[in-house]
């Protein structure tokens, strides 16, 4: 039951998702991410968002090329 509640919170709370993604990507504990300056955290979030947007664009272009053939 507890695991289900935690899973639901992670899936429904974007702040929690972002925190976990930064911690995972930087190989830090959640506490270390919480202790980092907000400006550093925001910079990482912006970088990861940019990376995600580039991936989505690249994927869409690849899909369009496949469809065009």
């Amino acid at each position: 039951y507890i695991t289900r509640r935690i899973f639901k919170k992670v899936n429904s709370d974007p702040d929690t998702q972002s925190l976990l993604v930064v911690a995972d990507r930087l190989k830090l504990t959640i506490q270390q991410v919480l202790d980092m300056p907000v400006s550093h955290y925001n910079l990482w979030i912006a970088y990861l968002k940019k990376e995600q947007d580039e991936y989505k664009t690249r994927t869409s272009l690849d899909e369009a090329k496949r469809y065009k053939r």
Side-chain angles (χ1 to χ4, degrees):
Y1 178 73
I2 293 173
T3 304
R4 201 176 296 160
R5 278 195 346 233
I6 293 170
F7 186 74
K8 187 175 180 179
K9 177 167 177 57
V10 168
N11 281 340
S12 64
D13 184 4
D15 292 333
T16 301
Q17 283 181 334
S18 297
L19 175 69
L20 293 172
V21 167
V22 171
D24 181 60
R25 186 67 179 270
L26 299 179
K27 307 294 186 233
L28 298 173
T29 65
I30 293 171
Q31 189 59 54
Q32 287 172 310
V33 175
L34 291 171
D35 290 343
M36 76 170 50
V38 173
S39 61
H40 292 186
Y41 178 78
N42 288 337
L43 188 61
W44 275 108
I45 293 297
Y47 174 78
L48 293 171
K49 171 88 171 90
K50 180 178 182 264
E51 195 174 63
Q52 181 183 41
D53 290 346
E54 288 172 355
Y55 174 79
K56 285 181 180 179
T57 299
R58 193 171 53 250
T59 303
S60 294
L61 290 174
D62 289 345
E63 194 174 303
K65 287 177 187 175
R66 269 188 257 121
Y67 179 74
K68 195 174 182 179
R69 291 182 190 170

